[in-house]
Amino acid sequence: MTGPTPDAPTACPTGELPRSTGVVVVGAGITGASIGHHLALRGIPVTVVEQAPGPGAGATGRSGGMVRGYDPDPAIGELARPSLAVYRDPARWASGRAPLRAVGAITVTDPADEPALRGAADRINRAPDTSAYVVTGRDEIMGVRLDDGAALVEPDAGWVPPVEVTRDWLGQAVTNGASLHYGTRVLGVEDRGGRPVVRTSAGEIRAGAVVAATGLWTARPPQGLRPSSPVRSRSIQISIVRREPPAPAHATFIDLRTGVYARPVDANHSLIGMPHLVWDSPFDSASDPAHARATAQAVGIHLPWAAAAEQVSVVRAADGYGEHSAILARTRLPHVWSVRGWNGGGVKTAPEAGRRIANALLTRAFTHDA
Ligand SMILES: Cc1cc2nc3c(=O)[nH]c(=O)nc-3n(C[C@H](O)[C@H](O)[C@H](O)COP(=O)(O)OP(=O)(O)OC[C@H]3O[C@@H](n4cnc5c(N)ncnc54)[C@H](O)[C@@H]3O)c2cc1C
């Protein structure tokens, strides 16, 4: 595949805002980038507008990037399975390299959930290019202690670098005709004569349709972009810890009983996390040292070396959370939609979510089903 390298989007001509376009995508996080890529692939004139000076300035830029085919929520699992196949496929990327680091992914559950895991393994094994199996009664697998849990093992899953993915999609979108505008904040959207007009810090754009992929900012959206199904921001905090020999290499894991998770970063570091249940948390809140200590203790059940490991850094951010499962929510304006909150898991679903959202916009935005 030809096209720009993953670092190219900022070098593309962003120029003046167009006066009109087919679809305005608000937000150049991983979700907006995927939507923009899929719309541009289908030949739709698309304009991506991002308030920050570059891509991935929100949750995407702080994300752990763990990806696997399984999720206890079937609607998320349906998005995650085909997304994993995209992350594994070099032909889908302008760089010619698949972004997936296939270190393996372990999902630990209560042993009573074993039948659900076996069903999930069947579904994953039916999907292209992915595989899974269930283990029970084992102490450890792929460097992860199971603490009497059952585990779904996905050897072909792992993690991706979310900003690299975002840049690659934006580069492909620009190559396919999209315009991309950093440092441009959307101030509001209004209806004029049945079509949306987007007011931005750099001028107005008349659009066939608008989709807000504004992540946690969807909780306090600009005028006209409030979704019918509410989204709230919730804190997510992770730590990077040193992994010294003889601590073994390990797969990514999440224990669904406690929510603790980890993934390797490189040969000597791992990322660890645990739910941080602080609602309406601003994106740049100060880190919580007590939670960082509690996370290391909780992860130590699965990675015994982690409890006493040196904490190299602590990253606190937030994501958009909502209860709805539809990928798009209506707003009060015709032809204007908002993307669902990804509840701390938007990287693992972004390839398929962007494809489906682009298709939904094509069928709804330019018809009367607004
Ligand atoms: C610490 C952390 C770890 C995570 N780990 C994982 C993981 O391991 N696996 C996983 O799948 N998910 C993970 N997630 C969740 C995942 O990163 C998010 O669900 C995903 O990145 C959301 O992407 P997004 O594009 O929807 O939102 P964002 O990345 O937040 O992007 C929204 C964009 O909209 C822009 N914007 C907002 N308002 C405006 C406006 N008015 N005008 C113009 N632009 C605007 C913002 O600047 C931002 O760039 C993690 C998240 C965090 C914070």
Side-chain angles (χ1 to χ4, degrees), residues 17 32 40 46 76 78 80 104 166 186 192 239 243 246-247 251 274 278 307 337:
L17 276 187
V46 55
I76 294 294
E78 252 190 53
T166 303
V186 169
R192 285 193 212 147
S239 305
R243 193 173 77 246
M274 178 170 83
V278 181
W337 286 273

Side-chain angles (χ1 to χ4, degrees), residues 331-354:
T331 66
R332 291 178 64 188
L333 299 179
H335 309 291
V336 180
W337 286 273
S338 181
V339 173
R340 61 162 286 167
W342 293 110
N343 300 0
V347 172
K348 73 176 188 217
T349 51
E352 178 66 4

